[in-house]
Amino acid sequence: MADYMDNIRSKLALLPDLPGCYLMKNDEGTIIYVGKAKILKNRVRSYFTGSHNGKTQRLVADIRDFEYIVTGSNMEALILECNLIKLHMPRYNVQLKDDKTFPYLKITNERHPRLEVTRRVLKDKAKYFGPYPNAYAAHQTKKLLDRMYPLRKCNAMPKEVCLYYHMGQCLAPCEKEVAKSEYDEITQSIAAFLGGGHEAVKKDLQQKMQEAAEELYFERAKELRDQIMHIDALMEKQNINTADTKDRDVFGYAVDKGWMCVQILYMRQGKMIQRHASSFPFYGEAYSDFMSYVTQYYSDNPALPQEILLPDVLRLEDAASVLPPETAEGPGSAGAEESSGQGAASADEDAEADGGAEEAAGESAAAAEAARSAAAGVVDPAGAAAALQQWLGVKVLVPRRGLKTKMVRMACENSRVALDEKFRLIERDEERTSGAAAGLAGSLGLERLSRIEAFDNSNIQGANPVSAMVVFIDGKPAKKEYRKYKVRTVQGPDDYETMREVIRRRYERVLKENLPQPDLIVVDGGRGQISAAVDILENELGLFIPVCGLVKDVKHKTAQLLVGDPPEPVRLARDSEEFYLLQRIQDEVHRFAITFHREQRGKSMVTSRLDAIPGIGEKRRKLLLKHFGSLKKIREASVEDFRPLSIGDKLARQILDALKDEETV
């Protein structure tokens, strides 16, 4: 330990006062964390001085070395960090694993364009709209647009007009020429609609519906009315309005218990149309990891807004409080919008002057806090916003007053609520599982039921007999304590003797190594399996641990719980948490045993087929399987394919003949 700390101290003394990226490594030399810094010396030193929270302590405990790359600016550090994270995928970094899976709406760049939903963004001169938070929202929007705009629907051009033409949803380019200007008009209309201008489209449809009704074209009027209803249904979630009609992405985040939630509010034409949330564990400094998320999000996002709003790290605690009263009615109320809109406009001018951060006068306390944070290596929001703005070429703001601040606070509040909900669900699940264990203990007359060990046997007509044990602690599986057993002494399909052998082996080891004893042993089966287990425990090992059996019905589902000597059924309601816990235990141990049996059966089949061939021993068998990969590949090989393994043509023919003969049996 002293050696690597001496090396780290030497490197810390040589760190420059320059921007750049740093790469933390573990004892194997693997990169486990990548970060960026405005001043490398301050940021990297902060990991090895002072106290850290639990998550960061885990990261620091694994660091054995580091290296750094100096960049010319904060923007270069921002981009380099994003690229390094994607290249090395460090275990402690926030990784936007779904950055390329967001669905987009795409108008293809073809002579006769189509509208489609895609998750691949290509440089193909097509028009992309999005991203959409989920596939359902994208497909619903496409479905609506398909009804309203007659772009072609088919992938390959048909020889004659299809049903879409007769429904008025296609211009039929398969039979008649369609002018490029007509397609351009449709594309512009779709772009306006997706940009938030659906109100104008809706008014136009209402006018056409009225005209159709006046001319007694009631079917057409009904179609137009349905389209208006679909627009209303799709856009009903728009509950925030701003005075201008800018496209914005509003970011907020919250952290708790080592987790971070990032919320994005998508505002188009001044209205919030969608939102997206991501929750993940983080290990570094909160704002730095938040900015890593934002950078990765935009690294492959072709549909940039006109403006991006980011939270201020110094005001993040404000997001944990209840939203201001005026936001309850929506910040787009007339009075709030008028006064806040002016504040936002003046702040925008300041933002352009200082590269993306809106200044607020008289914030000496905030400035002092910012200085302390900078000394500790914490990311400066203004600098991060300026770097992001320079890279993306769109305005990036960190608002500190007015309507935009309320929008960011709403995003932060949504993030906090999402995290609270996540932890409440976890707590509820823990309460249910621990409650089920306590309820089962009461039904069985036990004082406590913390540790349950369950057994199941698996074989096919006595071949490759195996057994498996799973462990549940406080109603939850403890997978690190699962065990597998190859049955040694039992010949043929004897379930009782198999149970006796496995119980003996398990609890001899428990006694010998002083391992924790279970509060309950669960065997898969009825009275015979219970009696076999109890006999070994009490008469051979002197252990008096309660044993119960789970009996399955004809559909191989958990049907009955047996306990006692002689075993008697215990009545449990089928819809109770206790019965559900028993089902989970039985399903899990059965799954574990079957998986192990399949592995052993597969190995024995391969072993027996090759070992039965004269001239093939263990060494050659392993060599063949390593070279070819499977019996199928060996069977399909030619005599020449065996020569690199120093296997002569005669033996190669014997191998091929033996395997082919076995295949025809």
Side-chain angles (χ1 to χ4, degrees):
M1 179 174 177
D3 292 340
Y4 85 79
M5 279 308 300
D6 288 343
N7 179 48
I8 286 176
R9 289 190 192 98
S10 299
K11 285 189 170 184
L12 289 175
L14 301 175
L15 283 166
D17 295 325
L18 295 170
C21 289
Y22 52 90
L23 301 90
M24 301 298 190
K25 299 180 178 181
N26 63 10
D27 53 1
E28 297 174 353
T30 304
I31 295 170
I32 58 174
Y33 187 77
V34 173
K36 62 184 175 301
K38 189 175 182 180
I39 301 175
L40 280 167
K41 180 186 290 185
N42 293 345
R43 184 68 190 112
V44 179
R45 281 181 173 178
S46 69
Y47 284 93
F48 304 100
T49 57
S51 59
H52 304 285
N53 59 33
K55 285 276 184 179
T56 308
Q57 283 176 3
R58 284 177 58 186
L59 164 62
V60 173
D62 282 351
I63 297 173
R64 294 295 179 270
D65 194 9
F66 71 87
E67 62 181 82
Y68 59 89
I69 303 170
V70 174
T71 59
S73 65
N74 286 345
M75 183 198 74
E76 290 179 12
L78 193 76
I79 300 170
L80 179 60
E81 181 199 39
C82 178
N83 293 334
L84 289 173
I85 290 173
K86 288 188 174 184
L87 176 64
H88 298 290
M89 299 184 68
R91 61 171 296 193
Y92 288 112
N93 271 104
V94 168
Q95 294 175 31
L96 184 59
K97 295 179 181 177
D98 58 352
D99 59 339
K100 292 185 181 177
T101 63
F102 283 110
Y104 292 81
L105 282 176
K106 172 183 177 181
I107 300 178
T108 60
N109 180 34
E110 300 173 276
R111 172 67 185 89
H112 304 288
R114 293 175 295 116
L115 182 68
E116 60 183 32
V117 176
T118 181
R119 293 179 184 268
R120 296 182 62 205
V121 178
L122 307 172
K123 294 181 179 179
D124 54 0
K125 297 184 180 180
K127 289 183 171 60
Y128 291 89
F129 304 91
Y132 286 82
N134 55 67
Y136 178 77
H139 282 286
Q140 285 295 103
T141 305
K142 179 184 179 297
K143 188 176 179 182
L144 172 61
L145 294 173
D146 281 340
R147 292 172 177 165
M148 295 170 57
Y149 300 104
L151 293 178
R152 73 182 177 98
K153 311 295 187 291
C154 48
N155 292 323
M157 202 78 76
K159 295 180 179 179
E160 57 184 20
V161 295
C162 61
L163 181 61
Y164 286 115
Y165 170 74
H166 297 292
M167 294 169 62
Q169 295 181 18
C170 182
L171 296 174
C174 53
E175 285 209 350
K176 54 184 181 179
E177 189 65 25
V178 181
K180 184 177 182 297
S181 59
E182 195 167 355
Y183 281 131
D184 289 342
E185 185 180 343
I186 292 173
T187 301
Q188 290 171 8
S189 298
I190 292 175
F193 181 91
L194 294 175
H198 62 281
E199 287 293 343
V201 175
K202 184 177 167 183
K203 286 180 182 177
D204 183 50
L205 290 176
Q206 287 172 335
Q207 184 178 345
K208 288 180 180 178
M209 179 185 69
Q210 191 172 353
E211 290 172 358
E214 289 173 355
E215 294 176 10
L216 305 181
Y217 294 140
F218 296 118
E219 288 188 7
R220 177 61 179 159
K222 181 179 180 299
E223 290 175 6
L224 293 167
R225 185 203 66 184
D226 291 343
Q227 289 183 7
I228 293 168
M229 291 172 65
H230 284 301
I231 292 174
D232 288 337
L234 194 65
M235 301 298 176
E236 66 181 354
K237 294 182 180 179
Q238 299 186 3
N239 56 359
I240 300 179
N241 298 319
T242 56
D244 57 26
T245 57
K246 282 188 177 181
D247 294 349
R248 293 184 176 90
D249 287 351
V250 182
F251 284 83
Y253 76 105
V255 294
D256 191 14
K257 298 180 180 69
W259 280 75
M260 177 182 293
C261 178
V262 177
Q263 191 97 198
I264 313 170
L265 306 181
Y266 301 101
M267 302 196 71
R268 299 297 179 261
Q269 295 289 305
K271 296 182 179 180
M272 191 183 88
I273 60 171
Q274 294 285 356
R275 68 173 186 164
H276 175 74
S278 296
S279 297
F280 42 82
F282 77 101
Y283 297 88
E285 193 272 321
Y287 203 85
S288 177
D289 282 3
F290 164 70
M291 285 306 302
S292 292
Y293 178 96
V294 176
T295 307
Q296 291 177 65
Y297 175 79
Y298 284 115
S299 64
D300 292 291
N301 185 350
L304 291 172
Q306 296 168 281
E307 192 173 273
I308 298 168
L309 303 184
L310 301 177
D312 185 345
V313 67
L314 302 177
R315 299 266 180 116
L316 184 62
E317 63 273 10
D318 294 347
S321 61
V322 180
L323 289 172
E326 59 265 36
T327 6
E329 300 175 0
S333 58
E337 186 171 330
E338 186 178 353
S339 59
S340 301
Q342 293 172 356
S346 62
D348 285 359
E349 295 171 5
D350 293 339
E352 291 177 1
D354 69 4
E358 298 185 13
E359 295 187 344
E363 295 190 347
S364 56
E369 181 62 31
R372 286 192 295 271
S373 297
V378 178
V379 172
D380 168 36
L388 193 64
Q389 176 171 297
Q390 185 182 357
W391 177 42
L392 298 178
V394 299
K395 190 178 292 185
V396 182
L397 309 177
V398 183
R400 290 174 180 162
R401 62 187 176 196
L403 176 61
K404 293 179 184 179
T405 305
K406 294 173 183 175
M407 290 157 58
V408 170
R409 283 185 180 179
M410 175 171 281
C412 290
E413 173 69 8
N414 275 280
S415 301
R416 188 189 63 78
V417 169
L419 271 187
D420 286 348
E421 182 178 289
K422 176 184 181 66
F423 294 131
R424 282 202 306 270
L425 287 172
I426 292 172
E427 289 169 3
R428 182 185 175 194
D429 193 46
E430 288 178 350
E431 287 174 2
R432 289 175 64 184
T433 53
S434 59
L440 184 59
S443 300
L444 298 177
L446 304 176
E447 291 184 6
R448 63 190 299 271
L449 187 54
S450 176
R451 183 184 181 92
I452 300 173
E453 295 184 358
F455 296 83
D456 191 13
N457 305 325
S458 181
N459 67 78
I460 296 179
Q461 296 180 345
N464 305 111
V466 299
S467 187
M469 180 195 77
V470 301
V471 179
F472 275 61
I473 298 176
D474 294 329
K476 292 175 287 187
K479 296 194 175 184
K480 290 183 179 179
E481 300 200 42
Y482 287 13
R483 295 292 181 268
K484 303 171 183 176
Y485 297 92
K486 290 181 184 178
V487 178
R488 300 169 181 166
T489 61
V490 180
Q491 300 295 325
D494 191 333
D495 206 33
Y496 300 152
E497 285 304 314
T498 299
M499 185 63 68
R500 293 170 68 88
E501 178 188 327
V502 173
I503 292 291
R504 182 185 296 113
R505 287 167 58 185
R506 167 62 183 169
Y507 295 103
E508 277 181 348
R509 185 172 183 181
V510 166
L511 290 172
K512 184 178 180 180
E513 299 181 12
N514 198 26
L515 299 176
Q517 294 185 16
D519 301 307
L520 178 69
I521 295 172
V522 178
V523 297
D524 186 76
R527 290 176 170 83
Q529 285 84 352
I530 295 174
S531 298
V534 169
D535 180 43
I536 296 298
L537 288 168
E538 296 183 0
N539 299 327
E540 288 192 21
L541 304 176
L543 292 174
F544 294 88
I545 302 171
V547 179
C548 70
L550 293 176
V551 182
K552 295 176 180 176
D553 58 20
V554 292
K555 295 182 180 179
H556 214 64
K557 298 293 184 183
T558 306
Q560 195 175 48
L561 171 66
L562 297 177
V563 70
D565 188 16
E568 296 293 336
V570 176
R571 297 190 179 277
L572 292 175
R574 287 296 186 97
D575 58 350
S576 66
E577 293 294 336
E578 292 82 1
F579 195 83
Y580 175 63
L581 175 59
L582 291 173
Q583 283 182 318
R584 285 177 58 209
I585 292 172
Q586 190 168 39
D587 290 345
E588 178 69 354
V589 71
H590 182 69
R591 177 200 65 80
F592 194 50
I594 285 290
T595 303
F596 182 44
H597 182 254
R598 285 173 182 162
E599 291 173 2
Q600 297 304 308
R601 192 173 73 226
K603 289 178 182 177
S604 68
M605 289 172 68
V606 172
T607 302
S608 61
R609 289 182 186 181
L610 292 176
D611 285 350
I613 302 170
I616 300 295
E618 183 180 356
K619 187 175 180 180
R620 271 185 171 159
R621 170 170 55 81
K622 290 180 178 179
L623 190 65
L624 284 166
L625 289 173
K626 184 178 180 180
H627 181 75
F628 291 102
S630 67
L631 274 180
K632 183 182 177 185
K633 294 285 181 66
I634 298 173
R635 191 181 293 118
E636 294 171 351
S638 64
V639 172
E640 292 77 12
D641 294 332
F642 291 86
R643 290 172 184 168
L645 303 179
S646 300
I647 294 178
D649 293 355
K650 182 180 179 181
L651 180 56
R653 289 191 189 95
Q654 288 178 350
I655 294 170
L656 293 174
D657 291 343
L659 292 178
K660 287 175 181 175
D661 288 344
E662 196 162 320
E663 185 182 23
T664 57
V665 172

